[in-house]
Amino acid sequence: MKRKIFIPIPYFLPGENGGGPVRSIINLIDHSCNYFDYYVITKNTDFNSSIQYDLPCNTWIQMSNYKVCYLIANRFNLSSIVNQYNSIQPNVIYLNSFFSSMSIKLVLFSIFNKEFLNKLVISPRGEFSKGALSQKKFKKQFFLRIAQITGMYRSVPFIASTTLECEDIKSIFKNNTVHIAMNLPAINKFPIKANVQNKKEVGSAKILFISRINRMKNLDYALVVLKGVLGNVSFDVYGPIEDNDYYQDCLQLAKGLPENITFSYKGVLKNDLVIQKIAEYDALLLPTKGENYGHVIVEALTACVPVIISDNTPWNNLEHFNAGYNIDLSDLTKFREKIEKIVSMNSDEMLMMKRGVKDYLSNNLDINENTKDNINIFLNLSVND
């Protein structure tokens, strides 16, 4: 009998606005569903939306390789989740955030229920990185101090995506067990060939930014960089607007761009179309303040598209493979120089970079090994055999 993994998460498919955690979970399910039965409990609306899905609520629905229970938004509460937990009796309770209100409530509940506590594991999804902790800094510091004083997380294990994230977690919870397993990429149903030569005009470039629109992803920084770039750049932005005040600030910056830089917000892409859409561009620009994985970076690499990113991600040594650039956020000039390098390239030079991207991915992403790591963690965590 397969072991049961119970995943409470506020937003999930068919929504498109939930970002990396949703993609991390569905990718994990796709790669490991032969080993586990997954039960996802979630709201019946997408992030930043009040439109309800046309799906049954308060009952378990069998999807292709998992079961999901949609709750009316105001019923996504501790009582409902615990009731469903009791009905399923899973082997593992998999939380995909440390700071979310529901994760905190479930940890507090576990203090009074040892069986529940013994099944908990938290994947903080980069929430302990310096960049992430700098957002709502004092509120997070206060809660972490309370957590350390009370010891409420003393027995809770964590899952980190990289050794760097493991160090971030250990800097706060020194005595907790931290397992390491890299996130898994989407199963690409439309492979892109690195030897396909797209026409590239010297002196111009099509560049895109895909992410949730918030301060962590640093769209405003990208716009400041582009303001000083020479050559013609078409800059398209995709992603849900998570912080509208911040987005309005970005629009003001976009209005100040010179004539050679065209800015366009394109809305939200459907998850299964992301790689195909990225393949239409010359480069991805993502000066993020921190990523524990960075799904869109992997999707760009999968599409054989070079990436121009900060050095706050696991994807380093790009330039060594001619696959893109990792740049310190303190160096605006270098960001501009590398964008201008893309702008100046001809079709043959871009083709060489596409091949470099493919080489980089084959040398830095071992899907089979990463899948085994994830499976072994859940097998070891399962306590009700």
Side-chain angles (χ1 to χ4, degrees), residues 182 301 315-317 320-321 323 355-367 370:
M182 181 169 269
L301 297 172
W315 307 103
N316 300 311
N317 302 315
H320 176 75
F321 287 86
R355 291 171 176 166
V357 171
K358 184 178 181 181
D359 289 343
Y360 177 86
L361 201 59
S362 64
N363 279 274
N364 289 274
L365 184 62
D366 189 334
I367 297 175
N370 294 341

Side-chain angles (χ1 to χ4, degrees), residues 256-271:
L257 290 172
E259 291 184 0
N260 61 304
I261 311 294
T262 60
F263 167 89
S264 180
Y265 174 64
K266 299 286 190 177
V268 180
L269 280 171
K270 291 187 176 296
N271 289 329

Side-chain angles (χ1 to χ4, degrees), residues 78-355:
L78 180 62
S79 175
S80 297
I81 290 173
V82 171
N83 285 340
Q84 292 297 340
Y85 158 81
N86 288 331
S87 70
I88 291 168
Q89 287 298 303
N91 302 92
V92 176
I93 305 162
Y94 185 32
L95 305 183
N96 280 262
S97 170
F98 178 85
F99 288 111
S100 76
S101 59
M102 184 51 66
S103 290
I104 294 169
K105 289 174 185 176
L106 288 167
V107 172
L108 286 171
F109 173 79
S110 74
I111 295 173
F112 307 99
N113 187 318
K114 188 174 181 181
E115 179 188 275
F116 195 91
L117 173 63
N118 288 338
K119 296 179 181 182
L120 275 180
V121 63
I122 298 175
S123 181
R125 304 290 177 202
E127 289 176 318
F128 294 136
S129 71
K130 290 180 181 179
L133 289 175
S134 69
Q135 312 297 311
K136 301 180 181 178
K137 180 178 179 180
F138 297 110
K139 185 177 180 180
K140 290 178 179 177
Q141 286 181 340
F142 177 76
F143 179 71
L144 286 172
R145 185 61 180 153
I146 295 297
Q148 290 170 328
I149 291 171
T150 60
M152 57 188 283
Y153 289 87
R154 186 184 299 113
S155 302
V156 180
F158 291 87
I159 299 177
S161 293
T162 63
T163 54
L164 181 60
E165 187 181 20
C166 177
E167 292 169 5
D168 289 339
I169 297 169
K170 282 288 191 180
S171 70
I172 299 169
F173 296 103
K174 295 179 175 57
N175 298 319
N176 289 61
T177 299
V178 182
H179 306 277
I180 302 176
M182 181 169 269
N183 288 353
L184 295 165
I187 295 175
N188 183 21
K189 299 174 183 176
F190 307 98
I192 309 295
K193 296 181 179 179
N195 59 356
V196 174
Q197 187 169 4
N198 296 338
K199 185 177 180 180
K200 168 67 172 64
E201 183 180 342
V202 175
S204 67
K206 292 177 62 180
I207 294 176
L208 83 163
F209 174 105
I210 303 184
S211 184
R212 288 172 289 168
I213 311 299
N214 61 34
R215 296 184 188 280
M216 188 71 180
K217 305 304 181 180
N218 230 4
L219 174 59
D220 59 334
Y221 183 98
L223 292 166
V224 171
V225 167
L226 287 166
K227 189 173 182 178
V229 167
L230 301 177
N232 297 318
V233 175
S234 174
F235 183 56
D236 292 342
V237 173
Y238 298 85
I241 299 169
E242 188 171 287
D243 183 336
N244 190 61
D245 289 341
Y246 173 71
Y247 176 62
Q248 294 304 317
D249 291 341
C250 291
L251 288 181
Q252 288 302 313
L253 287 171
K255 289 178 182 178
L257 290 172
E259 291 184 0
N260 61 304
I261 311 294
T262 60
F263 167 89
S264 180
Y265 174 64
K266 299 286 190 177
V268 180
L269 280 171
K270 291 187 176 296
N271 289 329
D272 57 356
L273 298 178
V274 170
I275 292 175
Q276 290 173 283
K277 178 56 66 174
I278 293 175
E280 299 174 7
Y281 289 82
D282 300 314
L284 170 77
L285 175 61
L286 188 68
T288 174
K289 293 180 182 178
E291 301 290 334
N292 75 311
Y293 184 69
H295 285 279
V296 72
I297 298 170
V298 178
E299 287 162 336
L301 297 172
T302 302
C304 295
V305 169
V307 297
I308 305 170
I309 59 177
S310 70
D311 57 0
N312 299 319
T313 84
W315 307 103
N316 300 311
N317 302 315
L318 289 162
E319 198 160 1
H320 176 75
F321 287 86
N322 193 30
Y325 311 99
N326 308 101
I327 308 170
D328 191 298
L329 288 175
S330 65
D331 198 345
L332 273 166
T333 300
K334 190 170 183 181
F335 268 97
R336 288 175 180 140
E337 289 174 352
K338 298 308 181 184
I339 292 171
E340 288 173 356
K341 187 172 182 179
I342 297 289
V343 169
S344 68
M345 287 182 179
N346 59 31
S347 298
D348 290 336
E349 290 168 321
M350 281 304 305
L351 179 60
M352 292 300 294
M353 283 206 83
K354 286 165 68 76
R355 291 171 176 166

